[in-house]
């Protein structure tokens, strides 16, 4: 059986600096994996490589056993992988509803159709409304995105990612900038919408990490130094040194495990 | 040093601040807490002259409300925005250069100080800032403002998106600022940090100050924490 | 989960839309009965053509965020191929092809060249796109003078539209008959382009405009979206070109020139690129400006330039956005409170403009025609460009007008922002419900 | 018809590249209208309505419509053969489709031979001499210049330039087969800013004479560049006199620019009076002699037809012989091309005999040769459809 | 191509290239820093020529060389302050359109003040005449003589040998010198000051730049004024070298955009390189009377007027020389959208 996502000794350099130095990772279908690591370790870069924004310098990336490295983002997306961005990346002059609908059109097979009216595409419209409802954004359905609050934009960012029904979802710091209670609600939401799907997420908030992940991968200086169950990672000496090892992280993690 | 009285602020038509009072004294770390959307960032921006406000903001005894931002900056207030407004097309070093108010000016801080503080930045010195990782950008904004040698630095959620270890580093660093005689107005979400390092705290709710006191006061005041900070 | 959702987005029968489209058709239908002179008839015809061209242009600018400096290439080449086809009909090689279908030839030619040149053009948006269109525009324009075999040299290619079959005795000789042909095309093309905005491709084009990067992550190839839309736009531009060829019965190199492309850009913007109907207004203004304004005054270019400066500064959304802003006020039932202000603004503004225009006209008169006597007619009055009285009068009118305008403007701004505030409140109240 | 007012619509550019020329010619027409209204064989009054066509054929058609709406039956146009062809074609169609509302088109400067050959029209009358006639006169003159050995042709890459080059080659081959065409260039219209490379090429070719149909900045920049590089060749040109060119040419062209035209600055007599009066009133030069032709032709024809009805006047104009400032001229019946004498004139300092200096440059075109109408007359292929 | 022809063409190409650079340096400055495609740039160029023409009559040429650009710069600064600044927040397209509108207004004002035909703006006495003469003979010898070469040098002593004297005008030399000075001074300004950084930063985050203590509006005004002044200077120099007439803005309008884009947006060095390249290529292209017909003839394929596409095939390189820059533009944008030395894509 092939893995949902598999990285084989992936490397990426920008100019002379090598940012990803041979990362390997295997994610089973249906697993939730959190990627943690210090700032600049290359987490977002790794996401960029997987989602096709950059091509790796060397190594292989496989999605459900098929090689996808070097493909364009849209080609990767069409093979069933969607991602969110660390900084909200939306269609700011369109309404909330239109944003979500744009994200479902391709996956519903409408492609570049100019012989069909959007209003008649019941399945796409229903799906978009369904997503909005899940995100609790149905109230803002017809608001232009640029008028949304930060948290709403973050929510929509995730909405766009999951709307297309991709089976592999990549979330880059989905709860950044949110307050505690919102974060909680969000974890819940993410759990719901990614039920049965493969999820990779980058987070610095240990609360989220331990609340969400089945497995944790620790990325330091472009290498995966640990990949295991949360508790095992937490106990890992190297991880402690490189990343956690702080009162804050301990507290957050403890709170999450207690709550969960 | 900074004295805010009855400050009101508007975004176009919407009234966001409803009479904020606040003081920052020399050598203090003051934290401004509150839920999302309570108006903390707006307060700081209004002081900086980036949002129109009414009322009074006095800096070293002079009224600065209504002045241009660059003027306020020249008077010695530094501002670190919340959404990492780095200049994406400039290199890290150029970003820092723009922090200086006069070219080649030497104040409390030099480039080397900054690079020592965050070695990561030194490594990326000649990279376009736009491609930095989220955390690196956060470090850069902070350093950039310090290069302007402010007497008061207003920092909006500096620990956002930083790895836990770096967060603690930042906290230490703010203490270092204080030691060097710079006052800090810290807008925070992470209570742990804020309470740990600040001299005094304000809590905001719906555009008003709803609590004022020492960290210890806040720790013991369960009502405020529950009602206004959702902890 | 899906099944339990309330079916609240049933499709209402959109009455408003029907009314608007019927009105549009009606306007197209009756205008030649109201404006009957020969000139107004050609102007109406040209307006119809310009409407198609400007709407096609706005598929790029307004909907796709692509700033083109060379769209006349597609409408112009459409014109050329149409007139060549027309000549083949009159020449007998293409006997029986109905003249009324010729604009489609233009459309297909526009489409053909868009397909040919579009792929490299739409590789990037922004400045590279703008500059590539500029370059291609210049190249085609220079070529057009170098290849008299196809472009007819300086004299262009002439044709005679009275040829071929004559169903129901329609020859397209009289301008009215041609006008109705244009009107039909205008209506259909407008409807088709409106429909385009409601299709998946049309919507993705908006998305590409807003954030091309993200589009790639929801499965779309941005270049393909731009390219297909570019082709569609080329098609409609070509139809406009084809109609133009029939209307003028002559096609010269100017139809592919930079001036034409620039006019599309300017007037689409003036009309309002952010709304679908903006370019329609722009198109009408374009014809009025070029045909009427230039005839009324020698200073028309100055006026045009000034209008642009002021429009861009004070109404960057074009006329359409002004209309929409007022419609919003009207929708909340508050327009009534503004009409006195509008009256005051209009009145005082007109006075100021008259004063300024009188001075401009006198200056131009002094420069151009003073040898024919210092007197000139201006809005029914006779001014003497050499007499202090006229100058004094003009200055006086200008100053009074401007001062009063400023007074009423302040009052208006106050009232306007109060109304906007109320509307915001109202919206929030409704949202809270 | 006595005392009637005849409206003449002038349809030419007042804005754009040719605005200068247009302004001058509109004034010339207005001035000539007044001049002829005072005294003409038909006893009519003329009124000129100026409409800006922005040098665009399509706008010319709009202007035509507007003129017709204003009750105009006579239109004049001259700048740009493109607009002329458009107007000629439109007028012909209009007259066909609207009998009783005929319009007559007097072309005073558009020189494309097609207008009186393959695309000739009964309703179109040309008052200028066309490219082929001018080249005929020019080469006749060159035939006698024994020092001409090597000729270089440089022209704008569009219809007019192509024609100049074509007729020059044909005529020279016929009249002076010994002359070598040592080079030929076509450059895009109004695109070249720096002519130095072309001059270098001309120099390298060893040409002693340059023939060019260039006008406007394409002509002045060419001559300036030649002067800068010290090229001593002679220039045979069509358009040395139009507004702006004298100033720009200035000393650079002294003694080596030859122009062919149906008039020149030092004609004396009635023309001198007109020139002086015009200069006094408008502070500008009257150089479009065809404006005189236009009213002379119209009023003579109206007198003959005893009517101002365009159909009758057109019939009278076709084949009309009359006197104009450059002698006896004839509106040839077969193609409606005015047959008239042509002058070759040289650009040089003003002197006692040749006093008129355009644009106060201190220079003028001095006539060196006059050719009778028959010399420059060229055959026509016009198959005119007469009503 | 003999040596003399090559030399003179090279000189012509270089000087034309430098002239192009002079024309477009201000545009590059404004475009690279402010992102504004200033369509009125050529109008400022024209304004410079006209103002110089008038001031020259009052104060003479050399003072006018300073005064006129300053006045044009002032006009540019005022325009920035009262018009452009207002639309900055609406984005690039309105910025572009407002300069479009401005170009109309300037054109009309120029015509109102100075009339519609060319004005007699002359090269000053001191700069007239040849700088040096290239004396070359068909035998292959090549000589340079300062000033005008004496008559006898240009006459051939031997039979069958032709001697050609080509003069290189002083004014062209002067033009080259000024262009190089412009390059140097912009270069200094960009590298020695932070103005460029401030503006580039302000393009994305104006508020932040202000919050760091920079007076952004003033810097914008200075840059726009400076760019306009450069255009004005080019006008003072170009106006008398060529023709000072209302059409002069239009004729250089498009080509300067080509320079800026081909060079690479935001790159002064790129603009310089592009100017020189375009100048030289165009100049040499004029000399090549070679078309596809000759090309195919090499392969034994005769092309007759009946061949499909004959009009296209018969065009010689020299005929398309002046439009080569546009071809260049399109090709560059297709294969290297950043331009020759550019770093970003606008
Ligand atoms: N296009 C690029 N060119 C050059 N360097 C780059 C580029 N993209 C990323 N980098 C560098 O790669 C490193 C990894 O960045 P990345 O954004 O992946 O970090 P991260 O792990 O997501 O950090 P954070 O948690 O702070 O977001 C950083 O040092 C960044 O400067
Ligand atoms: N540019 C703006 N236009 C209109 N309203 C705004 C704008 N920026 C902020 N607001 C509104 O002002 C209020 C206060 O915002 P502010 O950014 O000061 O909150 P904050 O306490 O900093 O919260 P956060 O945790 O989101 O940073 C919010 O309700 C927000 O929606
Ligand atoms: C053509 C320009 C107005 C586009 C601009 N360079 C951009 O940001 O895309
Ligand atoms: Mg990251
Ligand atoms: Mg905030």
């Amino acid at each position: 059986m092939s893995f949902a996502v598999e990285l084989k000794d992936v490397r990426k350099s920008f100019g002379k600096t090598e940012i990803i130095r041979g990362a390997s990772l295997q994610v089973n279908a249906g697993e939730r994996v959190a990627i943690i690591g210090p700032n600049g370790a290359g987490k977002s870069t790794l996401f960029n490589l997987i989602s096709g924004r950059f091509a790796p310098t060397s190594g292989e990336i496989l999605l459900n056993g098929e090689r996808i490295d070097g493909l364009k983002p849209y080609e990767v997306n069409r093979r069933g992988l969607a991602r969110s961005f660390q900084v909200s990346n939306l269609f700011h002059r369109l309404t909330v509803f239109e944003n979500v609908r744009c994200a479902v059109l391709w996956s519903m097979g409408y492609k570049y159709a100019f012989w069909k009216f959007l209003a008649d595409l019941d399945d796409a419209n229903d799906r978009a409304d369904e997503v909005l409802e899940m995100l609790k954004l149905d109230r803002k359905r017809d608001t232009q995105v640029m008028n949304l609050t930060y948290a709403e934009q973050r929510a929509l960012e995730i909405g766009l990612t999951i709307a297309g029904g991709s089976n592999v979802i990549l979330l880059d710091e989905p709860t950044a900038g949110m307050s505690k209670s919102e974060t909680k609600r969000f974890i819940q939401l993410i759990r719901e919408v990614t039920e049965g799907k493969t999820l990779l997420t980058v987070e610095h908030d240990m609360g989220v990490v331990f609340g969400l992940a089945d497995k944790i991968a620790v990325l330091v200086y472009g290498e995966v130094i640990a990949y295991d169950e949360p508790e095992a990672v937490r106990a890992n000496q190297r991880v402690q040194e490189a990343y956690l090892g702080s009162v804050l992280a301990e507290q957050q993690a403890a709170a999450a495990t207690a709550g969960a | 040093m900074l004295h805010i009285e009855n400050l009101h602020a508007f975004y176009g038509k919407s009234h966001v601040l409803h009479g904020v009072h606040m003081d920052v004294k020399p050598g203090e770390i003051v934290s401004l807490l509150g839920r999302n959307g309570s108006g903390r960032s707006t307060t700081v921006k209004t002081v900086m002259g980036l949002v129109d406000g009414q009322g009074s903001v006095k800096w070293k005894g002079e009224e600065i409300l209504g002045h241009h931002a660059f003027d306020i900056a020249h008077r010695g207030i530094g501002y670190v925005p919340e959404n990492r407004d780095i200049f994406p097309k400039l290199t890290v070093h150029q970003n820092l250069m723009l922090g200086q108010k006069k070219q080649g000016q030497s104040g409390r801080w030099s480039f080397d100080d900054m690079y020592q503080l965050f070695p990561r930045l030194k490594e990326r010195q000649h990279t376009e800032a736009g491609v930095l990782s989220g955390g690196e950008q956060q470090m850069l904004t902070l350093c950039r403002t310090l290069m302007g040698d402010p007497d008061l630095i207003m920092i909006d959620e500096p620990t956002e998106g930083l790895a836990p270890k770096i967060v603690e580093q930042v906290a230490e660093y703010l203490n270092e600022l204080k030691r060097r005689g710079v006052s800090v107005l810290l807008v925070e979400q992470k209570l742990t940090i804020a309470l740990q390092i600040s001299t005094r705290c304000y809590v905001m709710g719906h555009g008003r100050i709803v609590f004022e006191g020492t960290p210890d006061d806040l720790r013991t005041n369960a009502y405020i924490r529950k009602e206004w900070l959702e902890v | 989960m899906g099944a339990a959702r309330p079916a609240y987005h049933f499709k209402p029968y959109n009455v408003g839309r029907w009314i608007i489209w019927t009105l549009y058709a009606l306007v197209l239908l009756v205008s030649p009965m109201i404006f009957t002179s020969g000139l107004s008839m050609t102007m109406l015809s040209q307006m119809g053509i310009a409407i198609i061209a400007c709407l096609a242009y706005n598929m790029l600018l307004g909907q796709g965020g692509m700033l083109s400096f060379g769209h006349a290439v597609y409408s112009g080449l459409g014109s050329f191929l149409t007139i060549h086809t027309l000549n083949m009909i009159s020449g007998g090689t293409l006997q029986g092809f109905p003249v009324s279908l010729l604009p489609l030839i233009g459309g297909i030619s526009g489409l053909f060249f868009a397909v040919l040149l579009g792929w490299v053009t739409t590789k990037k948006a922004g400045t590279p796109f703008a500059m590539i269109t500029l370059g291609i525009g210049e190249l085609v324009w220079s070529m057009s003078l170098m290849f008299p075999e196809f472009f007819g040299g300086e004299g262009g290619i002439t044709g005679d539209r009275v040829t071929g079959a004559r169903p129901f005795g329609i020859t397209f000789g009289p301008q009215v008959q041609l006008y109705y042909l244009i009107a039909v095309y205008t209506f259909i093309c407008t409807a088709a382009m409106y429909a385009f905005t409601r299709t998946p491709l049309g919507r993705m084009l908006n998305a590409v405009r807003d954030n091309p990067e993200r589009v790639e992550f929801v499965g779309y190839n941005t270049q393909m979206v731009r390219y297909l839309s570019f082709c569609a736009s080329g098609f409609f531009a070509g139809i406009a070109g084809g109609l133009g060829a029939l209307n003028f019965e002559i096609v010269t190199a100017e139809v592919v020139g930079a001036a034409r492309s620039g006019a599309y850009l300017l007037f689409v913007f003036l009309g309002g690129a952010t709304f679908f109907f903006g370019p329609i207004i722009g198109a009408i203004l374009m014809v009025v400006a070029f045909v009427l304004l230039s005839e009324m005054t020698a200073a028309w270019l100055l006026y045009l330039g000034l209008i642009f400066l002021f429009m861009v500064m004070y109404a960057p959304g074009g006329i359409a956005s002004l209309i929409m802003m007022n419609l919003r006020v009207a929708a909340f039932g508050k327009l009534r409170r503004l009409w006195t202000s509008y009256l005051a603004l209009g009145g005082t503004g007109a006075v100021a403009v008259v004063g300024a225009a009188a001075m401009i006209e006198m200056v131009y008169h002094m420069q151009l025609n003073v040898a024919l006597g210092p007197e000139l007619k201006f809005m029914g009055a006779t001014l003497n460009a050499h007499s202090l009285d006229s100058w004094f009068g003009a200055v006086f009118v200008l100053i009074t007008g401007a001062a009063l305008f400023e007074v009423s403007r302040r009052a208006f701004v106050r009232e306007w922002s109060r109304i906007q505030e109320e509307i915001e409140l109202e919206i929030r109240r409704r949202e809270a419900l | 018809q006595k005392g009637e007012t005849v409206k003449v619509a002038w349809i030419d550019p007042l804005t754009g590249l040719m605005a200068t020329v247009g302004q001058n010619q509109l004034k010339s027409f207005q001035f000539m209208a007044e001049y002829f209204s005072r005294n003409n064989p038909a006893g009519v009054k003329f009124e000129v309505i100026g409409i800006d066509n922005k040098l665009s054929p399509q706008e010319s058609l709009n202007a035509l419509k507007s003129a017709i709406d204003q009750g105009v039956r006579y239109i004049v146009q001259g700048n740009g053969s493109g607009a002329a062809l458009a107007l000629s074609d439109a007028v012909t169609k209009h007259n066909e489709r609207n009998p009783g509302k005929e319009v007559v088109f007097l072309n005073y400067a558009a020189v494309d031979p097609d207008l009186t050959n393959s695309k000739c029209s009964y309703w179109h009358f040309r008052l200028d001499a066309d490219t082929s006639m001018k080249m005929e006169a020019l080469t006749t003159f060159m035939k006698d210049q024994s020092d001409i050995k090597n000729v270089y042709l440089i022209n704008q890459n569009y219809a007019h330039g192509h024609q100049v080059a074509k007729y020059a080659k044909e005529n020279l081959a016929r009249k002076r087969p010994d002359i070598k065409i040592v080079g030929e260039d076509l450059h895009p219209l109004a695109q070249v800013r720096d002519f130095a490379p072309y001059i270098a090429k001309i120099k390298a070719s060893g040409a002693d004479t340059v023939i060019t149909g260039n006008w406007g900045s394409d002509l002045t920049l060419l001559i300036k560049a030649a002067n800068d590089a010290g090229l001593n060749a002679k220039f045979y040109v069509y358009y040395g006199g139009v507004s702006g060119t004298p100033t720009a040419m200035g000393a650079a062209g002294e003694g080596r620019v030859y122009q062919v035209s149906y008039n020149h600055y030092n004609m004396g007599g009635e023309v001198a009076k007109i020139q002086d009066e015009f200069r006094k009133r408008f502070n500008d030069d009257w150089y479009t002699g065809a404006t005189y032709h236009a009213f002379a032709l119209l009023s003579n024809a109206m007198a003959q037809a005893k009517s101002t009805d365009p159909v009758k006047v057109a019939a009278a104009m076709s084949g009309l012989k009359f006197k104009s400032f450059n002698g006896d001229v004839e509106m040839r019946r077969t193609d409606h091309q005015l047959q008239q004498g042509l002058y070759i004139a040289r650009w040089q300092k003003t002197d006692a005999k040749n006093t008129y200096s355009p644009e106060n440059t201190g220079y003028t075109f001095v006539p060196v040769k006059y050719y009778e109408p028959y010399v420059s007359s060229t055959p026509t292929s016009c198959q005119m459809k007469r009503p | 191509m003999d040596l003399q022809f090559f030399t003179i063409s090279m000189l012509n190409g270089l000087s034309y290239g430098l002239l192009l650079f002079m024309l477009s340096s201000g545009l590059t400055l404004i475009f690279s820093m402010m992102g504004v495609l200033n369509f009125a740039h050529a109008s400022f160029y024209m304004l410079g020529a006209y103002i110089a023409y008038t001031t020259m009559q009052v104060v003479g040429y050399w003072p006018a060389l300073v005064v006129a650009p300053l006045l044009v710069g002032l006009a540019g600064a005022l325009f920035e302050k009262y018009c452009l600044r207002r639309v900055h927040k609406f984005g690039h397209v309105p910025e572009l359109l407002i300069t479009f509108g401005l170009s109309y207004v300037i054109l009309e004002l120029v015509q109102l003040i100075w009339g519609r035909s060319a004005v007699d703006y002359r090269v000053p006495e001191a700069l007239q005449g040849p700088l040096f003469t290239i004396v070359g003979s068909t035998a292959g010898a090549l000589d340079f003589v300062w000033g005008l070469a004496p008559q006898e040098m240009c006459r051939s002593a031997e039979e069958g040998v032709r001697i050609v004297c080509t003069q290189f005008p002083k004014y062209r030399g002067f033009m080259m010198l000024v262009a190089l000075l412009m390059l140097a001074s912009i270069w200094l300004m960009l590298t020695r000051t932070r103005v460029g950084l401030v503006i580039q930063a302000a393009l994305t985050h104006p508020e932040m730049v202000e919050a760091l203590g920079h007076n952004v509006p003033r810097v914008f005004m200075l840059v726009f004024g400076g760019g306009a002044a450069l255009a004005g200077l080019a006008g003072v120099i170009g106006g008398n070298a060529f023709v000072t007439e209302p059409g002069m803005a239009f004729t250089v309008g498009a080509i300067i955009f080509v320079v800026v884009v081909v060079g690479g947006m935001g790159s002064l060095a790129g603009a310089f390189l592009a100017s020189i390249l375009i100048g030289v290529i165009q100049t040499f292209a004029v000399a090549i009377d070679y078309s596809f017909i000759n090309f195919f003839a090499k392969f034994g394929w005769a092309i007759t007027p009946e061949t499909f596409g004959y009009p296209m095939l018969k065009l010689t390189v020299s005929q398309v020389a002046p439009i080569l820059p546009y071809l260049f533009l399109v090709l560059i944008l297709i294969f290297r959208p950043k331009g020759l030395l550019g770093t970003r894509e606008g």
Side-chain angles (χ1 to χ4, degrees), chain C residues 123-124 128 131 142 147 269 316 364 367, chain E residues 90 97 108 111 115 311 323 334 345:
Chain C
K123 211 166 144 193
K124 292 267 151 57
M131 287 296 133
S142 310
F147 299 136
F269 191 84
Y364 268 81
Q367 215 225 356
Chain E
F90 305 140
L97 288 175
E108 285 298 301
Q111 292 185 341
I323 57 168
I334 292 173
E345 298 182 352

Coordinates of all heavy atoms in Angstrom, one line a residue, chain C residues 123-124 128 131 142 147 269 316 364 367, chain E residues 90 97 108 111 115 311 323 334 345:
Chain C
K123 N 0.8 35.4 -20.6 CA 1.6 34.6 -19.7 C 1.7 35.3 -18.3 O 1.7 34.6 -17.3 CB 3.0 34.7 -20.3 CG 3.9 33.5 -20.0 CD 5.1 33.4 -20.9 CE 6.2 32.9 -20.2 NZ 7.5 33.1 -20.9
K124 N 1.8 36.6 -18.3 CA 1.8 37.3 -17.0 C 0.7 38.4 -17.1 O 0.3 38.8 -18.1 CB 3.2 38.0 -16.9 CG 4.3 37.0 -16.7 CD 4.6 36.8 -15.2 CE 5.2 35.5 -14.9 NZ 6.4 35.2 -15.6
P128 N 4.0 43.4 -17.4 CA 4.4 42.6 -18.6 C 3.2 42.5 -19.6 O 3.4 42.7 -20.8 CB 4.8 41.2 -18.1 CG 5.2 41.5 -16.7 CD 4.4 42.6 -16.2
M131 N 2.7 45.9 -21.4 CA 3.8 46.2 -22.3 C 3.8 45.3 -23.5 O 4.1 45.8 -24.6 CB 5.1 46.2 -21.6 CG 5.3 47.3 -20.6 SD 5.3 48.9 -21.5 CE 4.2 49.9 -20.5
S142 N 2.5 49.4 -37.4 CA 3.5 49.7 -38.4 C 3.4 48.8 -39.6 O 3.6 49.3 -40.7 CB 4.9 49.5 -37.8 OG 5.1 50.1 -36.5
F147 N 2.1 47.0 -45.5 CA 1.6 46.0 -46.4 C 0.3 46.4 -47.0 O -0.8 46.1 -46.6 CB 1.2 44.7 -45.6 CG 2.4 44.1 -45.0 CD1 2.4 43.6 -43.7 CD2 3.6 44.0 -45.7 CE1 3.5 43.1 -43.1 CE2 4.7 43.4 -45.1 CZ 4.7 42.9 -43.8
F269 N -12.5 53.2 -18.5 CA -12.3 53.7 -17.2 C -13.2 54.8 -16.8 O -13.8 54.8 -15.7 CB -10.8 54.2 -17.1 CG -10.4 54.4 -15.7 CD1 -10.0 53.3 -14.9 CD2 -10.5 55.6 -15.1 CE1 -9.6 53.5 -13.6 CE2 -10.1 55.8 -13.8 CZ -9.7 54.8 -13.1
P316 N -12.7 57.7 -9.0 CA -11.9 56.7 -9.7 C -12.6 55.5 -10.1 O -12.1 54.7 -10.8 CB -10.8 56.4 -8.6 CG -11.4 56.8 -7.3 CD -12.3 57.9 -7.6
Y364 N -8.6 80.4 -26.6 CA -8.5 79.7 -27.9 C -8.8 80.6 -29.1 O -8.2 80.5 -30.1 CB -9.4 78.4 -27.9 CG -8.7 77.2 -27.4 CD1 -8.6 77.0 -26.1 CD2 -8.1 76.3 -28.3 CE1 -7.9 75.9 -25.6 CE2 -7.5 75.2 -27.8 CZ -7.4 75.0 -26.5 OH -6.7 73.9 -26.0
Q367 N -6.1 82.8 -29.9 CA -5.0 82.1 -30.5 C -5.3 81.7 -32.0 O -4.4 81.8 -32.8 CB -4.6 80.9 -29.7 CG -3.1 80.7 -29.8 CD -2.7 79.3 -30.0 OE1 -3.6 78.4 -30.1 NE2 -1.4 79.1 -30.1
Chain E
F90 N -5.6 54.5 -5.0 CA -6.5 53.7 -5.9 C -5.8 52.7 -6.7 O -6.4 51.9 -7.3 CB -7.3 54.6 -6.8 CG -8.0 55.8 -6.1 CD1 -8.1 57.0 -6.7 CD2 -8.7 55.5 -4.9 CE1 -8.8 58.0 -6.1 CE2 -9.4 56.6 -4.3 CZ -9.4 57.8 -4.9
L97 N -3.6 56.5 -15.6 CA -4.6 57.3 -16.4 C -4.5 58.8 -16.1 O -4.7 59.6 -17.0 CB -6.0 56.8 -16.1 CG -6.3 55.4 -16.8 CD1 -7.6 54.9 -16.3 CD2 -6.2 55.5 -18.3
E108 N -2.1 70.7 -24.9 CA -3.0 71.8 -25.3 C -2.4 73.1 -24.7 O -2.4 74.1 -25.4 CB -4.4 71.6 -24.7 CG -5.2 70.6 -25.5 CD -5.4 71.0 -26.9 OE1 -6.0 72.1 -27.2 OE2 -5.0 70.2 -27.8
Q111 N 0.4 74.3 -26.9 CA -0.1 74.9 -28.1 C -0.7 76.2 -27.9 O -0.6 77.1 -28.8 CB -1.1 73.9 -28.8 CG -0.5 72.6 -29.2 CD -1.4 71.8 -30.0 OE1 -2.6 71.9 -29.9 NE2 -0.9 70.8 -30.7
G115 N 1.9 78.2 -29.6 CA 1.3 78.0 -31.0 C 1.5 76.6 -31.5 O 2.1 75.8 -30.8
P311 N 4.8 40.2 -49.5 CA 5.0 41.5 -49.0 C 5.9 41.4 -47.7 O 6.7 42.3 -47.4 CB 3.6 42.0 -48.7 CG 2.7 41.2 -49.5 CD 3.4 39.9 -49.7
I323 N 11.2 49.8 -36.2 CA 10.2 49.1 -35.3 C 10.8 47.9 -34.6 O 10.1 47.2 -33.9 CB 8.9 48.7 -36.1 CG1 9.2 47.9 -37.3 CG2 8.2 50.0 -36.5 CD1 8.0 47.2 -37.8
I334 N 8.3 37.9 -23.6 CA 7.9 36.5 -23.7 C 9.0 35.6 -23.0 O 8.7 34.7 -22.3 CB 7.7 36.1 -25.2 CG1 6.5 36.8 -25.7 CG2 7.6 34.6 -25.3 CD1 6.3 36.6 -27.2
E345 N 9.0 41.8 -11.8 CA 8.1 41.8 -12.9 C 7.0 42.8 -12.8 O 5.9 42.7 -13.4 CB 7.5 40.4 -13.1 CG 8.6 39.4 -13.4 CD 8.0 38.0 -13.6 OE1 6.8 37.8 -13.4 OE2 8.8 37.1 -14.0

